[in-house]
Amino acid sequence: QVQLVESGGGLVQPGGSLRLSCAASGRTFSNYNMGWFRQAPGKERELVAAISRSGGSTYYADSVKGRFTISRDAAKSTVYLQMNSLKPEDTAVYLCAAKLVSMNEYAYWGQGTQVSVSS
């Protein structure tokens, strides 16, 4: 298994930026695809971005495409989500998740970090 701890959330004004970090431990980081999810009040949990083991393949939800960038640093066992041009509708708890490349499900989850975008 792998343990995940998110950090970097906070309060920003619309148009601002944040970078979220997710530090992994417990198992070899490179064994996992990684994803960032978010959940806002009254909304379903949404997969925001995902990245392959090597970092060579990424996915973005249409709602964040062009504004968010997911990346990973194997040496630090960390995945990042750079969030630019933030909008109020980006307000949510952001959760890091991991899945073995052989599995379809994200089986491991962090506790989440709050991102609030408002004036």
Side-chain angles (χ1 to χ4, degrees):
Q1 297 187 8
V2 63
Q3 293 78 48
L4 306 173
V5 179
E6 304 97 333
S7 62
L11 174 64
V12 296
Q13 294 188 357
S17 297
L18 285 172
R19 188 175 77 159
L20 307 183
S21 298
C22 174
S25 63
R27 297 278 189 172
T28 302
F29 180 59
S30 61
N31 289 162
Y32 297 91
N33 292 132
M34 302 296 296
W36 284 99
F37 292 75
R38 67 185 181 188
Q39 188 157 25
K43 294 185 177 180
E44 298 291 325
R45 182 175 292 175
E46 175 187 24
L47 176 62
V48 175
I51 189 166
S52 63
R53 293 171 65 189
S54 68
S57 181
T58 57
Y59 162 85
Y60 298 96
D62 287 343
S63 58
V64 307
K65 195 172 297 182
R67 300 187 297 119
F68 291 11
T69 303
I70 190 170
S71 61
R72 64 193 297 161
D73 186 333
K76 297 181 179 180
S77 297
T78 299
V79 62
Y80 303 95
L81 186 67
Q82 178 67 47
M83 305 186 296
N84 298 326
S85 301
L86 283 162
K87 304 175 180 180
E89 51 262 45
D90 295 320
T91 296
V93 173
Y94 283 72
L95 302 111
C96 179
K99 73 177 185 73
L100 290 167
V101 296
S102 60
M103 305 293 288
N104 291 326
E105 307 85 10
Y106 286 90
Y108 309 104
W109 296 83
Q111 296 85 1
T113 185
Q114 177 71 46
V115 172
S116 298
V117 185
S118 71
S119 59

